[in-house]
Amino acid sequence: MTRRTRTRLFFALCPLLFGGMGQVPFCQQNQNDSFRGDIDRVGDVVVVRPVDIGVPPPVYVVTANPEIRQLRIYDAYNRTFVKSPNGFFPLAVQTGPMTTQLAVAPGDQTRVVTLDSHDDTVHLLRTTGDSRGDAFTYVGAGVRTGRAPSDVTAVLVDETLRVFVAVPDPGHVEVFDLDPRDGALLADAVVELPTGAHPARLAVDPTGDAVVVTDALLDTVHVIRAQDSTYDRSLDVGGPTVEVATGLVDPGDGLGPVAIVLRRDEPRAVALRLLRPTYREDAYAVLGSAQLFEYGAAVYIPDAADTAETDPTVCCPPSVGFPDEEATKAWALVLSENGHGQYLRFDGERPDGRRGVFRLIDTFPPGPGYAQRDGGANPAFLTSSDDTARAPTLIQRERDTLGEPPRFDFVEPGLTLTFTYGGSPPRTRGRTASYSMGAIVIDNDGRPFEQRDVLPGDLLFIPVASDDDRCPADGFLQKPIADVVGDDVTLVGLTPDEQACLQLYGPFTASVFVDDAFTVTSSEAGYLGRLHFDDDDREPRVLVQPHMDFSLQRAAGGPPDLGSQVVAELASNVQPIDVFFAQEQTLTNLDGFDREGLVLTAAAGAEVFLPGVNDNDPPRPVRRVFIGVSGATGRLIELNETETVLEFVNADDR
């Protein structure tokens, strides 16, 4: 990724500038910590607040560590791992060999559901002590699932804990009703998905209404009604998906549950709107999709509802240099496979002011246009002659190309469009050909010539080097194309002498050139098609690109020389907020969190309490995000919601 925004200077200098004033709390608001030593490579992370009593109430982060077959418990207030009874080592909850997925039901954070895909078993872990056992011990003996399950989620239905398990091979979701007190199996069922489904990941929405099921093979995401365990519908998201997360945000027309799924075939996130009972709308629908700079590995969506302690977090604070118009409570964080964090918003604006566009948050929204160059014109006119009076004018207009539901694509930094007057469509130059039965027959190269964007009216050029009087004296034959069928090209106005010449001279080479038009190529996508002058009666006269379109105006002096080009370098329409967690240089660790980089595997968050800045200050509530890390070692990265600055990093072993 290029053109990333880094806003570090103020926070790097803050302690140096104000260090003589004692403690500087506003310098310390952006706290990021990487804890290691007590955990191995993290498979999954959940956050629980089992009870609301105590000052502050306890909040724990549970991590799955499959390589050491253990769960570890992190105390968010004391910022240390919970110790074992002997007090010398961190508490270790033994698991099976592949316990990689964890889940917590909305409304019941006294239980964590664990899934082991090797033993094919679901277990319940109590997070607070009761008459049946101590905190962080198992409830019951566990329940067997189908073979090689891929994910688990849970919802509270009355007083029953309903557990959903994705089983890819048969293509269905298993449902287990468990008694949360003793883990007893009360009932089980199977939710069949559409034919060919391959369920990958599951997530229940914060209201407990729906379970979202991603599919690693189909282009759809499936929705199961959690309260009655029935399949509801499948939503077309354009491609197969893997990761999913749910949250509660306002996408521009009211607070409600949403989901984000990550495509596995391209770097793209798709947002879904889930059930809002009081709204007259489809219960479940696609809100839109947003192109990402890198493939996503995990997603975090906040709960944007007010609480008694904190307000919803705004992303991202104007005080650290981001534009006011980009501040939003409707945000999400996508973690990439390469160690980056990208912030997105649900409530972006269309050009006409309507909200509801799901897209990357932009640190400098200039709109689409041309890149700034230190020297030379942009767009540039390139011609073999000095006659710039015949230079066509490239006209660019901002345009709503998002569609419904909106699909947001960005313009790659450095993207260049080249318009060539009288250019050739791909694979149409220097093709071996012969003349037979009144047609030019192009040698087949695996694809019919008619599929090479060759149209009637294009010019076919054939060099003919022959002393025969029937051949053109100037050594070449150029004729308009009348028709193209398969590999056979018929020409307009071919005389008997010219036909005899081609029969005598063949085989020969043939090339196609568009007539009084431009071929258009992109530095990213290659050939885009042809474009006619805006005063032409032929189509297309407008080239549509993400967020803009282009047209070419003929110069008063006439068309340019054949082969002349208009070259335009475009400015990127998005400069995203990018937090780089892997190999990031910081004040305390010049090599970053890890010399070998980090693989971000999971993210979870909650409202937690931290010690006051001063010893006598009361605990302060903060909305925090916890990121599980795998790589050369295991880590748990802790940061405030919408954090963008990684200067204050404690990378010591814990």
Side-chain angles (χ1 to χ4, degrees):
M1 187 198 297
T2 59
R3 302 188 66 172
R4 299 187 175 93
T5 299
R6 305 263 199 258
T7 54
R8 301 184 237 168
L9 183 58
F10 172 79
F11 289 94
L13 296 177
C14 187
L16 303 178
L17 295 174
F18 302 102
M21 300 169 59
Q23 297 215 34
V24 192
F26 63 88
C27 291
Q28 300 173 359
Q29 289 303 305
N30 297 278
Q31 298 182 48
N32 307 266
D33 296 88
S34 173
F35 296 97
R36 62 183 178 181
D38 289 338
I39 56 177
D40 203 82
R41 297 169 179 84
V42 177
D44 203 0
V45 174
V46 293
V47 183
V48 294
R49 183 171 170 173
V51 294
D52 283 327
I53 58 176
V55 181
V59 177
Y60 300 107
V61 182
V62 182
T63 67
N65 308 274
E67 293 197 20
I68 57 174
R69 301 189 181 190
Q70 294 177 357
L71 305 179
R72 292 290 168 88
I73 319 298
Y74 174 67
D75 185 328
Y77 177 77
N78 293 309
R79 307 181 75 188
T80 186
F81 286 91
V82 174
K83 298 296 183 182
S84 61
N86 64 26
F88 293 103
F89 302 100
L91 179 65
V93 181
Q94 300 301 313
T95 70
M98 280 298 291
T99 298
T100 58
Q101 303 303 127
L102 308 174
V104 177
D108 182 13
Q109 299 195 26
T110 66
R111 298 291 184 267
V112 172
V113 185
T114 73
L115 175 67
D116 193 287
S117 58
H118 179 273
D119 291 345
D120 306 332
T121 307
V122 164
H123 287 282
L124 299 186
L125 179 78
R126 56 173 59 86
T127 59
T128 184
D130 55 34
S131 60
R132 298 171 185 262
D134 295 332
F136 307 117
T137 58
Y138 285 118
V139 179
V143 176
R144 292 299 300 269
T145 72
R147 187 179 66 85
S150 60
D151 201 11
V152 65
T153 194
V155 64
L156 195 65
V157 179
D158 297 326
E159 295 183 356
T160 298
L161 190 63
R162 180 163 293 165
V163 177
F164 296 83
V165 177
V167 187
D169 281 348
H172 63 222
V173 174
E174 297 177 344
V175 186
F176 304 97
D177 284 350
L178 305 181
D179 186 333
R181 295 170 298 178
D182 58 10
L185 177 64
L186 305 177
D188 60 359
V190 170
V191 180
E192 296 294 345
L193 300 176
T195 302
H198 195 83
R201 294 285 186 259
L202 308 174
V204 65
D205 84 69
T207 69
D209 167 75
V211 174
V212 180
V213 186
T214 63
D215 197 306
L217 293 181
L218 301 183
D219 293 349
T220 53
V221 167
H222 316 294
V223 180
I224 296 172
R225 292 196 299 270
Q227 297 301 307
D228 58 9
S229 302
T230 57
Y231 166 80
D232 185 277
R233 70 189 69 185
S234 296
L235 301 172
D236 188 352
V237 295
T241 50
V242 182
E243 301 300 332
V244 59
T246 58
L248 197 67
V249 301
D250 180 356
D253 60 355
L255 189 69
V258 296
I260 292 177
V261 297
L262 299 180
R263 292 268 295 272
R264 66 188 295 261
D265 59 332
E266 64 172 298
R268 180 170 296 276
V270 183
L272 310 178
R273 187 191 66 239
L274 305 178
L275 178 66
R276 298 187 291 186
T278 60
Y279 285 71
R280 293 184 177 180
E281 60 190 13
D282 287 342
Y284 314 103
V286 176
L287 279 175
S289 71
Q291 184 181 5
L292 305 173
F293 278 93
E294 297 177 338
Y295 279 90
V299 187
Y300 173 72
I301 308 174
D303 183 342
D306 294 331
T307 72
E309 303 291 345
T310 60
D311 296 326
T313 307
V314 174
C315 183
C316 285
S319 60
V320 294
F322 301 120
D324 292 341
E325 60 266 32
E326 284 294 277
T328 179
K329 297 177 183 178
W331 59 271
L333 174 64
V334 173
L335 304 174
S336 78
E337 294 179 346
N338 293 329
H340 292 273
Q342 303 170 69
Y343 285 100
L344 297 96
R345 66 183 304 166
F346 291 85
D347 58 349
E349 285 191 10
R350 287 180 177 268
D352 63 5
R354 288 182 295 152
R355 289 200 172 273
V357 176
F358 179 60
R359 63 168 174 81
L360 288 165
I361 291 178
D362 195 356
T363 62
F364 179 68
Y370 300 120
Q372 298 294 322
R373 285 182 175 174
D374 295 334
N378 187 24
F381 176 59
L382 308 177
T383 183
S384 57
S385 69
D386 296 329
D387 190 1
T388 57
R390 291 187 290 145
T393 301
L394 183 63
I395 300 173
Q396 177 260 322
R397 304 176 186 86
E398 187 173 353
R399 176 172 175 172
D400 187 344
T401 60
L402 297 169
E404 290 291 351
R407 174 188 170 99
F408 187 89
D409 295 308
F410 54 76
V411 177
E412 290 280 1
L415 177 68
T416 300
L417 297 178
T418 302
F419 303 80
T420 303
Y421 184 70
S424 300
R427 303 295 298 274
T428 64
R429 300 190 70 168
R431 293 292 298 273
T432 301
S434 59
Y435 182 79
S436 176
M437 304 295 292
I440 306 297
V441 181
I442 308 296
D443 282 4
N444 188 281
D445 64 350
R447 184 177 177 183
F449 200 63
E450 66 179 355
Q451 297 180 9
R452 297 292 184 187
D453 194 28
V454 179
L455 301 178
D458 290 342
L459 300 177
L460 189 72
F461 179 87
I462 301 173
V464 180
S466 175
D467 296 333
D468 193 290
D469 292 340
R470 292 170 293 181
C471 293
D474 51 10
F476 66 89
L477 179 69
Q478 180 173 294
K479 294 287 184 179
I481 294 174
D483 198 10
V484 184
V485 179
D487 293 315
D488 294 350
V489 181
T490 55
L491 302 178
V492 176
L494 198 62
T495 68
D497 280 350
E498 291 169 337
Q499 295 178 40
C501 173
L502 293 176
Q503 278 186 319
L504 173 69
Y505 184 67
F508 43 80
T509 60
S511 301
V512 175
F513 300 92
V514 299
D515 181 43
D516 195 27
F518 296 82
T519 55
V520 187
T521 57
S522 160
S523 58
E524 176 190 5
Y527 182 70
L528 300 180
R530 61 182 68 205
L531 185 65
H532 300 282
F533 282 112
D534 60 2
D535 62 354
D536 204 313
D537 59 359
R538 296 173 295 172
E539 295 285 354
R541 295 189 294 271
V542 175
L543 174 70
V544 179
Q545 291 291 284
H547 317 291
M548 68 189 95
D549 63 38
F550 296 89
S551 60
L552 280 160
Q553 188 176 72
R554 195 186 303 267
D561 294 334
L562 292 176
S564 297
Q565 293 181 328
V566 177
V567 181
E569 181 182 345
L570 306 184
S572 177
N573 61 322
V574 175
Q575 297 183 35
I577 299 171
D578 173 39
V579 184
F580 192 22
F581 294 102
Q583 298 177 339
E584 179 75 290
Q585 289 189 351
T586 66
L587 293 179
T588 58
N589 184 0
L590 296 180
D591 295 314
F593 286 119
D594 191 333
R595 292 177 184 270
E596 299 182 22
L598 304 179
V599 178
L600 310 179
T601 56
E607 179 184 83
V608 305
F609 288 85
L610 298 178
V613 175
N614 299 306
D615 292 340
N616 296 325
D617 291 342
R620 53 193 176 99
V622 180
R623 298 193 182 203
R624 300 283 267 179
V625 181
F626 301 88
I627 299 173
V629 172
S630 179
T633 184
R635 303 286 180 83
L636 182 65
I637 299 176
E638 177 183 1
L639 63 155
N640 290 344
E641 282 190 348
T642 74
E643 182 61 271
T644 60
V645 181
L646 299 180
E647 295 301 339
F648 295 94
V649 178
N650 184 347
D652 295 335
D653 289 346
R654 296 276 174 161

CSV table of all heavy atoms in Angstrom, one decimal, residues 25 27-33 79 610-611 613 620 622 624-625 638-640 643 645-646 648-649:
chain,number,residue,atom,x,y,z
A,25,PRO,N,-1.7,13.8,31.1
A,25,PRO,CA,-2.7,12.8,30.7
A,25,PRO,C,-3.1,12.8,29.3
A,25,PRO,O,-3.3,11.8,28.7
A,25,PRO,CB,-3.8,13.1,31.7
A,25,PRO,CG,-3.6,14.5,32.1
A,25,PRO,CD,-2.2,14.7,32.2
A,27,CYS,N,-1.3,13.4,26.8
A,27,CYS,CA,-0.2,12.7,26.0
A,27,CYS,C,-0.4,11.2,26.1
A,27,CYS,O,0.1,10.5,25.3
A,27,CYS,CB,1.2,13.1,26.6
A,27,CYS,SG,1.7,14.8,26.3
A,28,GLN,N,-1.0,10.7,27.2
A,28,GLN,CA,-1.1,9.3,27.5
A,28,GLN,C,-2.4,8.7,27.1
A,28,GLN,O,-2.6,7.5,27.3
A,28,GLN,CB,-0.8,9.1,28.9
A,28,GLN,CG,0.5,9.6,29.4
A,28,GLN,CD,0.7,9.5,30.9
A,28,GLN,OE1,-0.2,9.1,31.6
A,28,GLN,NE2,1.9,9.9,31.3
A,29,GLN,N,-3.3,9.4,26.4
A,29,GLN,CA,-4.6,8.9,26.1
A,29,GLN,C,-4.5,7.8,25.0
A,29,GLN,O,-5.3,6.9,25.0
A,29,GLN,CB,-5.5,10.0,25.6
A,29,GLN,CG,-6.0,10.9,26.7
A,29,GLN,CD,-6.7,10.1,27.8
A,29,GLN,OE1,-7.6,9.4,27.6
A,29,GLN,NE2,-6.2,10.3,29.0
A,30,ASN,N,-3.5,7.9,24.2
A,30,ASN,CA,-3.3,6.9,23.1
A,30,ASN,C,-2.3,5.8,23.6
A,30,ASN,O,-1.1,5.9,23.4
A,30,ASN,CB,-2.8,7.5,21.9
A,30,ASN,CG,-3.8,8.5,21.3
A,30,ASN,OD1,-4.7,8.1,20.6
A,30,ASN,ND2,-3.6,9.8,21.6
A,31,GLN,N,-2.9,4.8,24.3
A,31,GLN,CA,-2.0,3.8,24.9
A,31,GLN,C,-2.1,2.5,24.2
A,31,GLN,O,-3.2,2.0,23.9
A,31,GLN,CB,-2.4,3.6,26.4
A,31,GLN,CG,-2.3,4.8,27.3
A,31,GLN,CD,-2.6,4.5,28.7
A,31,GLN,OE1,-2.2,3.5,29.3
A,31,GLN,NE2,-3.5,5.3,29.3
A,32,ASN,N,-1.0,2.0,23.8
A,32,ASN,CA,-1.0,0.7,23.1
A,32,ASN,C,0.0,-0.2,23.7
A,32,ASN,O,1.1,0.2,24.0
A,32,ASN,CB,-0.5,0.9,21.6
A,32,ASN,CG,-1.3,2.0,20.9
A,32,ASN,OD1,-2.3,1.6,20.2
A,32,ASN,ND2,-1.0,3.2,21.1
A,33,ASP,N,-0.4,-1.4,24.0
A,33,ASP,CA,0.5,-2.3,24.6
A,33,ASP,C,0.5,-3.7,23.9
A,33,ASP,O,-0.5,-4.1,23.5
A,33,ASP,CB,0.2,-2.5,26.1
A,33,ASP,CG,0.3,-1.2,26.9
A,33,ASP,OD1,-0.7,-0.4,26.9
A,33,ASP,OD2,1.3,-1.0,27.4
A,79,ARG,N,-4.2,-5.2,33.9
A,79,ARG,CA,-3.3,-5.2,32.8
A,79,ARG,C,-2.2,-6.3,33.0
A,79,ARG,O,-1.0,-6.0,32.7
A,79,ARG,CB,-2.7,-3.9,32.4
A,79,ARG,CG,-3.8,-2.8,32.3
A,79,ARG,CD,-3.3,-1.4,32.0
A,79,ARG,NE,-2.9,-1.4,30.5
A,79,ARG,CZ,-2.3,-0.4,30.0
A,79,ARG,NH1,-1.9,0.6,30.7
A,79,ARG,NH2,-2.0,-0.4,28.7
A,610,LEU,N,-9.7,1.3,33.4
A,610,LEU,CA,-8.3,1.4,33.6
A,610,LEU,C,-8.0,2.2,34.9
A,610,LEU,O,-8.8,3.1,35.3
A,610,LEU,CB,-7.6,2.0,32.4
A,610,LEU,CG,-7.7,1.3,31.1
A,610,LEU,CD1,-7.0,2.1,30.0
A,610,LEU,CD2,-7.2,-0.1,31.1
A,611,PRO,N,-6.8,2.0,35.5
A,611,PRO,CA,-6.5,2.8,36.6
A,611,PRO,C,-6.4,4.3,36.3
A,611,PRO,O,-6.1,4.6,35.1
A,611,PRO,CB,-5.1,2.3,37.0
A,611,PRO,CG,-5.0,0.9,36.5
A,611,PRO,CD,-5.8,0.9,35.2
A,613,VAL,N,-5.0,8.1,36.1
A,613,VAL,CA,-3.7,8.6,35.7
A,613,VAL,C,-2.9,8.8,36.9
A,613,VAL,O,-1.7,8.5,36.9
A,613,VAL,CB,-3.9,9.9,34.9
A,613,VAL,CG1,-2.5,10.5,34.6
A,613,VAL,CG2,-4.6,9.7,33.6
A,620,ARG,N,-11.0,4.8,35.4
A,620,ARG,CA,-11.6,5.6,34.3
A,620,ARG,C,-12.1,4.6,33.2
A,620,ARG,O,-11.4,3.7,32.8
A,620,ARG,CB,-10.6,6.6,33.7
A,620,ARG,CG,-9.3,6.0,33.3
A,620,ARG,CD,-8.2,7.0,33.0
A,620,ARG,NE,-6.9,6.4,32.7
A,620,ARG,CZ,-6.4,6.3,31.5
A,620,ARG,NH1,-7.2,6.7,30.4
A,620,ARG,NH2,-5.3,5.7,31.3
A,622,VAL,N,-12.9,3.3,29.6
A,622,VAL,CA,-12.4,3.5,28.2
A,622,VAL,C,-12.9,2.4,27.3
A,622,VAL,O,-13.0,1.2,27.8
A,622,VAL,CB,-10.8,3.4,28.3
A,622,VAL,CG1,-10.3,3.6,26.9
A,622,VAL,CG2,-10.3,4.5,29.2
A,624,ARG,N,-12.0,-0.1,24.6
A,624,ARG,CA,-10.7,-0.7,24.2
A,624,ARG,C,-10.9,-1.8,23.2
A,624,ARG,O,-12.0,-2.4,23.1
A,624,ARG,CB,-10.0,-1.3,25.4
A,624,ARG,CG,-9.7,-0.3,26.5
A,624,ARG,CD,-8.5,0.6,26.1
A,624,ARG,NE,-7.2,0.0,26.6
A,624,ARG,CZ,-6.1,0.6,26.4
A,624,ARG,NH1,-6.0,1.7,25.7
A,624,ARG,NH2,-5.0,0.1,26.9
A,625,VAL,N,-9.9,-2.0,22.4
A,625,VAL,CA,-9.8,-3.1,21.4
A,625,VAL,C,-8.6,-4.0,21.8
A,625,VAL,O,-7.5,-3.5,22.1
A,625,VAL,CB,-9.7,-2.6,20.0
A,625,VAL,CG1,-9.7,-3.7,19.0
A,625,VAL,CG2,-10.8,-1.6,19.6
A,638,GLU,N,-3.2,-4.2,22.8
A,638,GLU,CA,-4.3,-3.5,23.5
A,638,GLU,C,-4.3,-2.0,23.1
A,638,GLU,O,-3.2,-1.4,23.2
A,638,GLU,CB,-4.2,-3.7,25.0
A,638,GLU,CG,-5.3,-2.9,25.7
A,638,GLU,CD,-5.1,-3.0,27.2
A,638,GLU,OE1,-4.1,-3.7,27.6
A,638,GLU,OE2,-5.9,-2.5,28.0
A,639,LEU,N,-5.4,-1.5,22.6
A,639,LEU,CA,-5.4,-0.1,22.2
A,639,LEU,C,-6.8,0.5,22.4
A,639,LEU,O,-7.8,-0.2,22.5
A,639,LEU,CB,-4.9,0.1,20.8
A,639,LEU,CG,-5.8,-0.5,19.7
A,639,LEU,CD1,-5.6,0.2,18.4
A,639,LEU,CD2,-5.4,-2.0,19.5
A,640,ASN,N,-6.9,1.8,22.5
A,640,ASN,CA,-8.2,2.5,22.5
A,640,ASN,C,-8.9,2.4,21.2
A,640,ASN,O,-8.2,2.3,20.1
A,640,ASN,CB,-8.0,4.0,22.8
A,640,ASN,CG,-7.5,4.2,24.3
A,640,ASN,OD1,-7.6,3.4,25.1
A,640,ASN,ND2,-7.0,5.4,24.5
A,643,GLU,N,-7.8,4.1,17.7
A,643,GLU,CA,-6.4,4.5,17.9
A,643,GLU,C,-5.7,4.5,16.5
A,643,GLU,O,-5.9,3.7,15.7
A,643,GLU,CB,-5.7,3.5,18.8
A,643,GLU,CG,-4.3,3.8,19.1
A,643,GLU,CD,-4.1,5.1,19.8
A,643,GLU,OE1,-4.0,6.1,19.1
A,643,GLU,OE2,-4.1,5.1,21.0
A,645,VAL,N,-2.3,6.1,16.7
A,645,VAL,CA,-0.9,6.4,17.0
A,645,VAL,C,-0.3,5.3,17.8
A,645,VAL,O,-0.8,4.9,18.9
A,645,VAL,CB,-0.8,7.8,17.7
A,645,VAL,CG1,0.7,8.1,18.0
A,645,VAL,CG2,-1.4,8.9,16.9
A,646,LEU,N,0.9,4.8,17.4
A,646,LEU,CA,1.5,3.7,18.1
A,646,LEU,C,2.8,4.0,18.8
A,646,LEU,O,3.7,3.2,18.8
A,646,LEU,CB,1.7,2.5,17.1
A,646,LEU,CG,0.4,2.0,16.4
A,646,LEU,CD1,0.8,0.8,15.5
A,646,LEU,CD2,-0.6,1.5,17.5
A,648,PHE,N,3.4,5.1,22.0
A,648,PHE,CA,3.6,4.7,23.4
A,648,PHE,C,3.3,3.2,23.5
A,648,PHE,O,2.2,2.7,23.7
A,648,PHE,CB,2.6,5.4,24.3
A,648,PHE,CG,3.0,6.9,24.4
A,648,PHE,CD1,2.3,7.8,23.5
A,648,PHE,CD2,4.0,7.4,25.2
A,648,PHE,CE1,2.7,9.1,23.6
A,648,PHE,CE2,4.3,8.7,25.2
A,648,PHE,CZ,3.7,9.6,24.4
A,649,VAL,N,4.3,2.4,23.2
A,649,VAL,CA,4.2,0.9,23.1
A,649,VAL,C,5.0,0.3,24.2
A,649,VAL,O,6.2,0.6,24.2
A,649,VAL,CB,4.5,0.4,21.7
A,649,VAL,CG1,4.4,-1.1,21.7
A,649,VAL,CG2,3.7,1.1,20.7
